[in-house]
Amino acid sequence: MSGRKIGVVTGIFQSSPYEFFVRMTAEKPGEAYKVFAQIEDVVKVEYLTGYGTVVTYGMIVDIQNRWDGDLRNGYEEEVALEKLKPAYPIYIAKVKVTRSFLKEGNKLLEDAPEIPPNIGSPVFLVGDEEIDIALGFDELKRKNVALPVGLLKNGRPAYLDLRYILGDNGAHINVSGQSGVAAKTSYTTFLVKSMIETSSKNDGDLMRELREARYIIFNVKGESLLFLDRISKEWYSEREKWDEMYRVLGIEPKPFENVAFYAPSREKGAYIPDVNKRLIGVNVYGWDVFDIVEMNLLELMFDPDEMTRNQNFQLAVWSLQEHLSQRMEEMYQEFLKEGYIVDRKKLPSEALREVVMKKGEVVDLPLDLDGLIKDLGEGGRTREYLLSEHVQKQTIGMLIRRLKAAQKMDFDRLWVKPPLKVEPWQTNYRIDWNVPGRVTVIDISKLRERAQAFVVGAILSEVMREKERNSGFTQPVFIFLDELNKYAPRHGGGALANIFRDVAERGRSFRVILIGAEQTASEVDYRVITQAATVVVGRQKGAELIKPEYSHLTEHYKRKAALLRQGEVIIDQPFLNLPLTVKFPLPAWCTREGGWHNPEGKTWEDEEFII
């Protein structure tokens, strides 16, 4: 019940301006066990100081009970219950301060003196109308930077500060927790849905930027995220249970609408997506030589551990990249002189791609892996260049073998040869992620591990390239990737890890926001994990929670994290004075392959693929 007195500030334990203790009391004498507050309730104390009246809000983070009296002989219960000595059960609540104000009339001023609450001051539960003030949400709402992220224990919405998400004060989000229990994907898609819905209903500079954000989601397991535009049958069967939560949060319980799906081709040269369950509306993706060379993606095709161990091989790969870059620049300058390229604002990769597609194989570059392998063979121009750079024949032979192995590891499906003698608009294998408000789902689940890493690195590089070349592109780009520890591991990682570090450290200034998820945050690259301003922890094992990556959690929250139920997470952000446990509703959109609501038993239409 809001406004109820729960006890008084006690002197049994020492208090400070940042935490104090409350001896909880019952309404009637002799009913000490009838306390009316629990962990994570928000409380309020008002007390007089030399500076004036101070109002302090806080959250209960721990409650202990014991006998009050001289009972130290090991038989406390018997002595107390048989009334051999006077003893009373007492409950002591530990309160972490969230906010303090100096009270002047009806106004609450932020510059409160840092003084502990007076011993004996009454402590009250905070009413619903004061929750926002107690936790600072009123300030976020006033500045139009409040993002609803779940419900508190009392059923009120909890908010995060968009300024710590979009890069004004910080950036990046990290979500960790046990697989299958923490619901990392469910909560992350819920956050994306909240950003889309909240920005469409609110004004303000950041809301306007967020309204035109781009969302890139990697699908890493099965085809689970290729159905975000379908309603979940699991939610549909229990919709009454979740409708109220959606209503309170101001989010429409409906599937994603502006969403595009991409998958690799089934085989080299084909424009049929490699999907089994989602049979329509899926686009094929890949990269051609122009993008691969321009974005320095060649290194991602090789084993990073081997590159680290064998410096000769690493130098050969770098020399190959340098040679292809030089040849591409020469072709670009030549086509400029010949008038093939008119628009100098286009990237060299874009311009050369259009020339090749219109005029045929007119560039002196290997257009696919077969062409590159051939060019490394006897008499090839690339081979002659590497030899001139003192690359040994044995190393070139190793390079050829590794490229042939890459063909068998799905790179033949990703390195696309541009179609010749066609108009550029007739065939499109490039991922069109740069659309305002669009959610772009990229399936990498059916690729081998190194090919998955290549796709992730290519997308990150492409986003950063677009941001760097276009100063007017101020809208945020969110990139969600599960199993982050696999792509940006704590040790090693090679070229891909360097790309992640660049995004983590410089992405904030470009509003490129990484939403990373993993089972164990301690296994993620330190420079990447520590850049996340917003941290979400789902249910986690105790052995993991003792790692330094969770030092932002108090002991109470570490114990709580080990016991979280599905649909509960702990959120933390520099804006908050302490983390918050929130509940979130079951997604109304489908996050499991085969889990979409189909009441009429409809089948997919005839297979249609966007090429």
Side-chain angles (χ1 to χ4, degrees), residues 374-444:
K374 182 179 178 181
D375 210 27
L376 284 167
E378 292 295 336
R381 181 176 174 183
T382 301
R383 182 184 183 89
E384 296 302 320
Y385 175 83
L386 294 182
L387 290 172
S388 70
E389 291 293 309
H390 307 292
V391 177
Q392 299 298 314
K393 291 182 179 180
Q394 297 91 329
T395 307
I396 296 176
M398 180 186 293
L399 195 56
I400 293 173
R401 292 193 298 274
R402 297 299 182 269
L403 289 172
K404 288 181 177 179
Q407 288 183 302
K408 299 176 182 178
M409 298 178 66
D410 296 328
F411 282 94
D412 251 353
R413 295 199 281 160
L414 298 178
W415 187 325
V416 178
K417 182 177 181 179
L420 308 178
K421 302 295 182 68
V422 298
E423 289 297 323
W425 57 265
Q426 290 179 309
T427 304
N428 186 18
Y429 47 83
R430 308 185 74 250
I431 297 174
D432 190 15
W433 55 266
N434 196 359
V435 178
R438 172 178 285 180
V439 176
T440 303
V441 180
I442 304 172
D443 180 34
I444 59 175

Coordinates of all heavy atoms in Angstrom, one line a residue, residues 374-444:
K374 N 43.3 -18.2 -59.8 CA 44.0 -18.3 -61.1 C 45.1 -17.2 -61.3 O 46.2 -17.4 -61.8 CB 43.0 -18.1 -62.3 CG 43.6 -18.2 -63.7 CD 42.5 -18.1 -64.7 CE 43.1 -18.2 -66.1 NZ 42.1 -18.0 -67.2
D375 N 44.8 -16.0 -60.7 CA 45.8 -14.9 -60.8 C 47.0 -15.1 -59.9 O 48.0 -14.4 -60.1 CB 45.0 -13.6 -60.5 CG 45.7 -12.4 -61.2 OD1 46.2 -12.5 -62.3 OD2 45.6 -11.2 -60.6
L376 N 46.8 -16.0 -59.0 CA 47.9 -16.3 -58.1 C 48.8 -17.4 -58.6 O 49.9 -17.7 -58.1 CB 47.4 -16.7 -56.7 CG 46.9 -15.5 -55.8 CD1 46.2 -16.1 -54.6 CD2 48.1 -14.7 -55.3
G377 N 48.3 -18.1 -59.7 CA 49.0 -19.1 -60.3 C 50.2 -18.7 -61.2 O 50.4 -17.4 -61.4
E378 N 50.9 -19.6 -61.9 CA 52.0 -19.3 -62.8 C 51.6 -18.3 -63.8 O 50.6 -18.4 -64.5 CB 52.5 -20.5 -63.4 CG 53.2 -21.5 -62.5 CD 54.4 -20.9 -61.9 OE1 55.0 -20.0 -62.5 OE2 54.8 -21.4 -60.8
G379 N 52.4 -17.2 -64.0 CA 52.1 -16.2 -65.0 C 51.1 -15.1 -64.6 O 50.9 -14.2 -65.3
G380 N 50.5 -15.3 -63.4 CA 49.4 -14.3 -63.0 C 50.0 -13.0 -62.5 O 51.1 -13.0 -62.0
R381 N 49.3 -12.0 -62.8 CA 49.8 -10.6 -62.4 C 50.0 -10.5 -60.9 O 50.9 -9.9 -60.4 CB 48.9 -9.6 -63.0 CG 49.3 -8.1 -62.7 CD 48.4 -7.1 -63.3 NE 48.8 -5.8 -62.9 CZ 48.1 -4.7 -63.3 NH1 47.1 -4.8 -64.2 NH2 48.4 -3.5 -62.9
T382 N 49.0 -11.0 -60.2 CA 49.1 -10.9 -58.7 C 50.2 -11.7 -58.2 O 50.9 -11.3 -57.2 CB 47.7 -11.5 -58.1 OG1 46.7 -10.7 -58.6 CG2 47.8 -11.4 -56.6
R383 N 50.5 -12.9 -58.8 CA 51.7 -13.7 -58.3 C 53.0 -12.9 -58.5 O 53.8 -12.9 -57.6 CB 51.7 -15.0 -59.1 CG 52.8 -16.0 -58.7 CD 52.8 -17.2 -59.5 NE 53.9 -18.1 -59.1 CZ 53.7 -19.1 -58.2 NH1 52.5 -19.2 -57.6 NH2 54.7 -19.9 -57.9
E384 N 53.1 -12.3 -59.7 CA 54.3 -11.5 -60.0 C 54.5 -10.4 -59.0 O 55.6 -10.1 -58.6 CB 54.3 -11.0 -61.4 CG 54.2 -12.1 -62.5 CD 55.4 -13.0 -62.4 OE1 56.6 -12.5 -62.2 OE2 55.3 -14.2 -62.6
Y385 N 53.4 -9.8 -58.6 CA 53.5 -8.7 -57.6 C 54.0 -9.2 -56.3 O 54.9 -8.6 -55.6 CB 52.2 -8.0 -57.5 CG 52.2 -6.9 -56.4 CD1 52.6 -5.6 -56.6 CD2 51.7 -7.2 -55.1 CE1 52.7 -4.7 -55.6 CE2 51.8 -6.3 -54.1 CZ 52.2 -5.0 -54.4 OH 52.3 -4.0 -53.4
L386 N 53.4 -10.3 -55.8 CA 53.8 -10.8 -54.5 C 55.3 -11.3 -54.5 O 56.0 -11.1 -53.6 CB 52.9 -12.0 -54.2 CG 51.4 -11.7 -53.9 CD1 50.7 -13.0 -53.5 CD2 51.3 -10.6 -52.8
L387 N 55.7 -11.9 -55.6 CA 57.1 -12.2 -55.7 C 58.0 -11.0 -55.7 O 59.1 -11.0 -55.1 CB 57.4 -13.0 -57.0 CG 56.8 -14.4 -57.1 CD1 56.9 -15.0 -58.5 CD2 57.5 -15.3 -56.0
S388 N 57.6 -9.9 -56.3 CA 58.4 -8.7 -56.3 C 58.4 -8.1 -54.9 O 59.3 -7.3 -54.6 CB 57.8 -7.6 -57.3 OG 56.5 -7.1 -56.8
E389 N 57.5 -8.5 -54.0 CA 57.4 -8.0 -52.6 C 58.1 -9.0 -51.7 O 58.0 -8.9 -50.5 CB 56.0 -7.8 -52.2 CG 55.3 -6.6 -52.9 CD 55.9 -5.3 -52.5 OE1 56.0 -5.0 -51.2 OE2 56.2 -4.5 -53.4
H390 N 58.9 -9.9 -52.3 CA 59.7 -10.9 -51.6 C 58.8 -11.9 -50.8 O 59.2 -12.4 -49.7 CB 60.7 -10.2 -50.6 CG 61.5 -9.2 -51.3 ND1 62.5 -9.5 -52.2 CD2 61.5 -7.8 -51.2 CE1 63.0 -8.4 -52.7 NE2 62.5 -7.4 -52.1
V391 N 57.6 -12.2 -51.3 CA 56.8 -13.2 -50.8 C 57.3 -14.5 -51.4 O 57.3 -14.7 -52.6 CB 55.3 -13.0 -51.0 CG1 54.5 -14.2 -50.5 CG2 54.8 -11.7 -50.4
Q392 N 57.6 -15.5 -50.5 CA 58.1 -16.8 -51.0 C 57.1 -17.6 -51.8 O 55.9 -17.5 -51.5 CB 58.6 -17.6 -49.8 CG 59.7 -17.0 -49.0 CD 61.0 -16.7 -49.9 OE1 61.4 -17.6 -50.6 NE2 61.6 -15.5 -49.8
K393 N 57.6 -18.4 -52.7 CA 56.7 -19.3 -53.5 C 55.9 -20.2 -52.6 O 54.7 -20.5 -52.9 CB 57.5 -20.1 -54.6 CG 58.1 -19.2 -55.7 CD 58.8 -20.1 -56.7 CE 59.4 -19.2 -57.8 NZ 60.1 -20.1 -58.8
Q394 N 56.5 -20.7 -51.6 CA 55.8 -21.6 -50.7 C 54.7 -20.9 -50.0 O 53.6 -21.5 -49.8 CB 56.8 -22.2 -49.6 CG 57.9 -23.0 -50.2 CD 59.2 -22.1 -50.5 OE1 59.0 -21.0 -50.8 NE2 60.3 -22.8 -50.3
T395 N 54.9 -19.6 -49.7 CA 53.8 -18.8 -49.0 C 52.7 -18.6 -50.0 O 51.5 -18.6 -49.6 CB 54.4 -17.5 -48.5 OG1 55.5 -17.8 -47.6 CG2 53.3 -16.8 -47.6
I396 N 53.0 -18.3 -51.2 CA 52.0 -18.1 -52.2 C 51.2 -19.4 -52.4 O 49.9 -19.4 -52.6 CB 52.6 -17.6 -53.6 CG1 53.3 -16.3 -53.4 CG2 51.5 -17.6 -54.7 CD1 54.0 -15.8 -54.7
G397 N 51.9 -20.5 -52.4 CA 51.2 -21.8 -52.5 C 50.3 -22.0 -51.3 O 49.1 -22.6 -51.5
M398 N 50.7 -21.6 -50.2 CA 49.8 -21.7 -49.0 C 48.6 -20.8 -49.2 O 47.5 -21.2 -48.8 CB 50.6 -21.3 -47.7 CG 49.8 -21.4 -46.4 SD 50.6 -20.7 -45.0 CE 51.9 -22.0 -44.8
L399 N 48.8 -19.6 -49.7 CA 47.7 -18.7 -50.0 C 46.7 -19.3 -50.9 O 45.5 -19.2 -50.7 CB 48.3 -17.4 -50.5 CG 47.4 -16.2 -50.5 CD1 46.9 -15.8 -49.2 CD2 48.2 -15.0 -51.1
I400 N 47.1 -20.0 -51.9 CA 46.2 -20.6 -52.9 C 45.4 -21.7 -52.2 O 44.2 -21.9 -52.4 CB 47.0 -21.2 -54.1 CG1 47.6 -20.0 -54.9 CG2 46.1 -22.0 -55.0 CD1 48.6 -20.5 -56.0
R401 N 46.1 -22.5 -51.4 CA 45.4 -23.6 -50.7 C 44.4 -23.1 -49.7 O 43.3 -23.7 -49.6 CB 46.5 -24.5 -50.0 CG 47.4 -25.3 -50.9 CD 48.1 -26.4 -50.1 NE 49.0 -25.8 -49.1 CZ 50.3 -25.4 -49.3 NH1 50.8 -25.5 -50.5 NH2 51.0 -24.9 -48.3
R402 N 44.7 -22.0 -49.1 CA 43.7 -21.5 -48.1 C 42.5 -20.9 -48.8 O 41.4 -21.0 -48.3 CB 44.4 -20.4 -47.2 CG 45.5 -20.9 -46.4 CD 45.0 -21.9 -45.3 NE 46.1 -22.4 -44.5 CZ 46.9 -23.4 -44.7 NH1 46.7 -24.1 -45.9 NH2 47.9 -23.7 -43.9
L403 N 42.7 -20.3 -50.0 CA 41.6 -19.8 -50.8 C 40.7 -20.9 -51.3 O 39.5 -20.7 -51.4 CB 42.1 -18.9 -51.9 CG 42.7 -17.5 -51.5 CD1 43.4 -16.8 -52.7 CD2 41.7 -16.6 -50.9
K404 N 41.3 -22.0 -51.7 CA 40.6 -23.1 -52.2 C 39.8 -23.7 -51.0 O 38.6 -24.1 -51.2 CB 41.5 -24.2 -52.8 CG 42.0 -23.8 -54.1 CD 42.9 -24.9 -54.7 CE 43.4 -24.5 -56.1 NZ 44.3 -25.6 -56.7
A405 N 40.4 -23.7 -49.8 CA 39.6 -24.2 -48.6 C 38.5 -23.2 -48.3 O 37.4 -23.7 -47.9 CB 40.6 -24.3 -47.5
A406 N 38.7 -21.9 -48.5 CA 37.7 -20.9 -48.2 C 36.5 -21.1 -49.2 O 35.3 -20.9 -48.8 CB 38.2 -19.5 -48.4
Q407 N 36.7 -21.6 -50.4 CA 35.6 -21.9 -51.3 C 34.7 -22.9 -50.7 O 33.5 -22.9 -50.9 CB 36.1 -22.3 -52.7 CG 36.8 -21.2 -53.5 CD 37.2 -21.7 -54.8 OE1 38.1 -22.6 -55.0 NE2 36.7 -21.1 -55.9
K408 N 35.3 -23.9 -50.1 CA 34.5 -25.0 -49.5 C 33.9 -24.6 -48.2 O 33.0 -25.4 -47.6 CB 35.4 -26.2 -49.3 CG 36.0 -26.8 -50.6 CD 37.0 -27.9 -50.3 CE 37.6 -28.4 -51.5 NZ 38.6 -29.5 -51.3
M409 N 34.3 -23.5 -47.6 CA 33.7 -23.0 -46.3 C 32.7 -21.9 -46.5 O 32.6 -21.0 -45.7 CB 34.9 -22.6 -45.4 CG 35.8 -23.7 -45.1 SD 37.2 -23.2 -44.1 CE 36.4 -22.7 -42.5
D410 N 32.0 -21.9 -47.6 CA 30.9 -21.0 -47.9 C 31.2 -19.7 -48.5 O 30.4 -18.9 -48.8 CB 30.0 -20.8 -46.7 CG 29.3 -22.1 -46.2 OD1 29.0 -22.9 -47.0 OD2 29.1 -22.2 -45.0
F411 N 32.6 -19.4 -48.7 CA 32.9 -18.1 -49.2 C 32.5 -18.0 -50.7 O 32.4 -16.9 -51.2 CB 34.4 -17.8 -49.0 CG 34.7 -17.4 -47.6 CD1 35.1 -18.3 -46.7 CD2 34.5 -16.1 -47.3 CE1 35.4 -17.9 -45.4 CE2 34.8 -15.7 -46.0 CZ 35.2 -16.6 -45.0
D412 N 32.4 -19.1 -51.4 CA 31.9 -19.1 -52.8 C 30.5 -18.5 -52.9 O 30.0 -18.0 -53.9 CB 32.0 -20.5 -53.4 CG 33.1 -20.5 -54.5 OD1 33.7 -19.5 -54.8 OD2 33.4 -21.6 -55.0
R413 N 29.7 -18.7 -51.8 CA 28.4 -18.2 -51.7 C 28.3 -16.7 -51.3 O 27.3 -16.0 -51.6 CB 27.5 -19.0 -50.7 CG 27.3 -20.5 -51.1 CD 26.2 -21.0 -50.3 NE 26.5 -21.4 -48.9 CZ 25.6 -21.5 -48.0 NH1 24.3 -21.3 -48.2 NH2 26.0 -21.9 -46.7
L414 N 29.4 -16.2 -50.7 CA 29.4 -14.9 -50.2 C 30.1 -13.9 -51.2 O 29.8 -12.7 -51.3 CB 30.1 -14.8 -48.8 CG 29.4 -15.6 -47.7 CD1 30.2 -15.5 -46.4 CD2 28.0 -15.1 -47.5
W415 N 31.2 -14.4 -51.8 CA 31.9 -13.6 -52.8 C 31.2 -13.7 -54.1 O 31.3 -14.7 -54.8 CB 33.4 -14.1 -53.0 CG 34.2 -13.2 -53.8 CD1 33.8 -12.5 -54.9 CD2 35.6 -12.9 -53.7 NE1 34.8 -11.8 -55.5 CE2 35.9 -12.0 -54.7 CE3 36.6 -13.2 -52.8 CZ2 37.2 -11.5 -54.9 CZ3 37.8 -12.8 -52.9 CH2 38.2 -11.9 -54.0
V416 N 30.4 -12.7 -54.5 CA 29.5 -12.8 -55.6 C 30.1 -12.1 -56.8 O 30.7 -11.0 -56.7 CB 28.1 -12.1 -55.3 CG1 27.2 -12.1 -56.5 CG2 27.5 -12.7 -54.1
K417 N 30.1 -12.8 -57.9 CA 30.5 -12.2 -59.2 C 29.4 -11.4 -59.8 O 28.3 -11.8 -60.0 CB 30.9 -13.3 -60.2 CG 31.4 -12.7 -61.5 CD 31.9 -13.9 -62.4 CE 32.4 -13.3 -63.7 NZ 32.9 -14.4 -64.6
P418 N 29.7 -10.0 -60.0 CA 28.6 -9.2 -60.5 C 28.1 -9.7 -61.9 O 28.9 -10.1 -62.7 CB 29.3 -7.8 -60.7 CG 30.5 -7.9 -59.9 CD 30.9 -9.3 -59.9
P419 N 26.8 -9.7 -62.1 CA 26.2 -10.1 -63.4 C 26.7 -9.1 -64.5 O 26.7 -7.9 -64.2 CB 24.7 -10.1 -63.2 CG 24.5 -9.2 -62.0 CD 25.7 -9.4 -61.1
L420 N 27.0 -9.6 -65.7 CA 27.5 -8.8 -66.7 C 26.4 -8.5 -67.7 O 25.5 -9.2 -68.0 CB 28.7 -9.5 -67.4 CG 29.8 -10.0 -66.5 CD1 30.9 -10.7 -67.2 CD2 30.4 -8.8 -65.7
K421 N 26.6 -7.3 -68.4 CA 25.7 -6.8 -69.4 C 24.2 -6.7 -69.0 O 23.3 -7.1 -69.6 CB 25.8 -7.8 -70.7 CG 27.2 -7.9 -71.3 CD 27.7 -6.6 -71.8 CE 29.0 -6.8 -72.5 NZ 29.0 -7.6 -73.7
V422 N 24.1 -6.2 -67.8 CA 22.7 -5.9 -67.2 C 22.7 -4.5 -66.6 O 23.8 -3.9 -66.4 CB 22.3 -6.9 -66.2 CG1 22.3 -8.3 -66.7 CG2 23.2 -6.8 -64.9
E423 N 21.5 -4.0 -66.4 CA 21.4 -2.7 -65.7 C 21.5 -3.0 -64.2 O 21.0 -4.0 -63.7 CB 20.0 -2.1 -66.0 CG 19.9 -1.5 -67.5 CD 20.9 -0.4 -67.8 OE1 21.2 0.4 -66.9 OE2 21.4 -0.4 -68.9
P424 N 22.2 -2.1 -63.5 CA 22.4 -2.3 -62.1 C 21.1 -2.6 -61.3 O 21.2 -3.4 -60.3 CB 23.1 -1.0 -61.6 CG 23.8 -0.5 -62.8 CD 22.9 -0.8 -64.0
W425 N 20.0 -2.0 -61.7 CA 18.8 -2.2 -60.9 C 18.2 -3.5 -61.1 O 17.3 -4.0 -60.4 CB 17.8 -1.1 -61.3 CG 17.4 -1.0 -62.7 CD1 18.0 -0.2 -63.7 CD2 16.4 -1.8 -63.4 NE1 17.4 -0.4 -64.9 CE2 16.5 -1.4 -64.8 CE3 15.5 -2.8 -63.0 CZ2 15.6 -1.9 -65.7 CZ3 14.7 -3.3 -64.0 CH2 14.7 -2.9 -65.3
Q426 N 18.6 -4.3 -62.2 CA 18.0 -5.5 -62.5 C 18.4 -6.7 -61.5 O 17.6 -7.6 -61.3 CB 18.4 -5.9 -63.9 CG 17.7 -5.1 -65.0 CD 18.1 -5.5 -66.4 OE1 19.3 -5.6 -66.7 NE2 17.1 -5.7 -67.2
T427 N 19.5 -6.6 -60.9 CA 20.0 -7.6 -60.0 C 20.6 -6.9 -58.8 O 21.5 -6.1 -58.9 CB 21.1 -8.5 -60.7 OG1 20.5 -9.0 -61.9 CG2 21.5 -9.6 -59.7
N428 N 20.1 -7.3 -57.6 CA 20.7 -6.7 -56.4 C 21.0 -7.8 -55.3 O 20.1 -8.5 -54.9 CB 19.6 -5.7 -55.8 CG 20.2 -5.0 -54.6 OD1 21.4 -4.9 -54.4 ND2 19.3 -4.4 -53.8
Y429 N 22.2 -7.9 -55.0 CA 22.6 -8.9 -54.0 C 23.2 -8.2 -52.8 O 23.8 -8.8 -51.9 CB 23.7 -9.8 -54.5 CG 24.8 -9.1 -55.3 CD1 25.9 -8.6 -54.6 CD2 24.8 -9.0 -56.7 CE1 26.9 -7.9 -55.3 CE2 25.8 -8.3 -57.4 CZ 26.8 -7.8 -56.7 OH 27.8 -7.1 -57.3
R430 N 23.0 -6.9 -52.7 CA 23.6 -6.1 -51.6 C 22.5 -5.8 -50.5 O 21.3 -5.6 -50.9 CB 24.2 -4.8 -52.1 CG 25.2 -5.0 -53.2 CD 25.9 -3.8 -53.6 NE 26.9 -3.4 -52.6 CZ 26.8 -2.3 -51.9 NH1 25.8 -1.5 -52.0 NH2 27.8 -2.0 -51.0
I431 N 22.9 -5.9 -49.3 CA 21.9 -5.7 -48.2 C 21.5 -4.2 -48.1 O 22.3 -3.4 -47.8 CB 22.5 -6.2 -46.9 CG1 22.8 -7.7 -47.0 CG2 21.5 -5.9 -45.7 CD1 23.5 -8.3 -45.8
D432 N 20.2 -4.0 -48.3 CA 19.7 -2.6 -48.2 C 19.3 -2.3 -46.8 O 18.1 -2.3 -46.5 CB 18.5 -2.5 -49.2 CG 18.1 -1.0 -49.4 OD1 18.9 -0.1 -48.9 OD2 17.0 -0.8 -49.9
W433 N 20.2 -2.0 -45.9 CA 19.9 -1.8 -44.5 C 19.7 -0.3 -44.2 O 19.1 0.0 -43.2 CB 21.1 -2.3 -43.6 CG 22.4 -1.6 -44.0 CD1 23.4 -2.2 -44.8 CD2 22.9 -0.4 -43.6 NE1 24.4 -1.3 -45.0 CE2 24.2 -0.2 -44.2 CE3 22.5 0.7 -42.8 CZ2 25.0 0.9 -44.0 CZ3 23.2 1.8 -42.6 CH2 24.5 1.9 -43.2
N434 N 20.1 0.6 -45.1 CA 20.1 2.0 -44.9 C 18.7 2.6 -45.2 O 18.6 3.4 -46.1 CB 21.2 2.7 -45.6 CG 21.4 4.1 -45.1 OD1 20.8 4.6 -44.2 ND2 22.4 4.8 -45.7
V435 N 17.6 2.1 -44.5 CA 16.3 2.6 -44.8 C 15.7 3.1 -43.4 O 15.7 2.3 -42.5 CB 15.4 1.5 -45.4 CG1 14.0 2.0 -45.6 CG2 16.0 1.0 -46.7
P436 N 15.2 4.3 -43.3 CA 14.7 4.8 -42.0 C 13.6 3.9 -41.4 O 12.7 3.6 -42.1 CB 14.2 6.2 -42.4 CG 14.9 6.6 -43.6 CD 15.2 5.4 -44.4
G437 N 13.8 3.6 -40.2 CA 12.8 2.8 -39.4 C 12.8 1.4 -39.8 O 12.0 0.6 -39.2
R438 N 13.6 0.9 -40.6 CA 13.6 -0.5 -41.1 C 14.4 -1.4 -40.1 O 15.4 -1.0 -39.6 CB 14.1 -0.7 -42.5 CG 14.3 -2.1 -42.9 CD 14.8 -2.3 -44.3 NE 13.7 -2.0 -45.3 CZ 13.8 -2.1 -46.6 NH1 15.0 -2.4 -47.1 NH2 12.8 -1.8 -47.4
V439 N 13.8 -2.6 -39.9 CA 14.5 -3.7 -39.2 C 15.0 -4.6 -40.3 O 14.2 -5.2 -41.0 CB 13.6 -4.4 -38.2 CG1 14.3 -5.6 -37.6 CG2 13.1 -3.4 -37.1
T440 N 16.3 -4.8 -40.3 CA 16.9 -5.7 -41.3 C 17.5 -6.9 -40.6 O 18.4 -6.8 -39.8 CB 18.1 -5.0 -42.1 OG1 17.5 -3.8 -42.7 CG2 18.6 -5.9 -43.2
V441 N 16.9 -8.1 -41.0 CA 17.3 -9.4 -40.4 C 18.2 -10.1 -41.3 O 17.8 -10.4 -42.5 CB 16.1 -10.2 -40.0 CG1 16.6 -11.5 -39.4 CG2 15.2 -9.5 -39.0
I442 N 19.5 -10.4 -40.9 CA 20.5 -11.1 -41.7 C 20.7 -12.4 -41.2 O 21.2 -12.6 -40.1 CB 21.8 -10.2 -41.8 CG1 21.5 -8.8 -42.3 CG2 22.8 -10.9 -42.7 CD1 22.7 -7.9 -42.2
D443 N 20.3 -13.5 -41.9 CA 20.5 -14.8 -41.5 C 21.9 -15.3 -41.8 O 22.4 -15.3 -42.9 CB 19.5 -15.7 -42.2 CG 19.6 -17.2 -41.8 OD1 20.0 -17.4 -40.6 OD2 19.4 -18.1 -42.6
I444 N 22.6 -15.8 -40.7 CA 24.0 -16.3 -40.9 C 24.0 -17.7 -40.3 O 25.1 -18.3 -40.2 CB 25.1 -15.5 -40.3 CG1 24.8 -15.3 -38.8 CG2 25.2 -14.1 -41.0 CD1 26.0 -14.5 -38.1

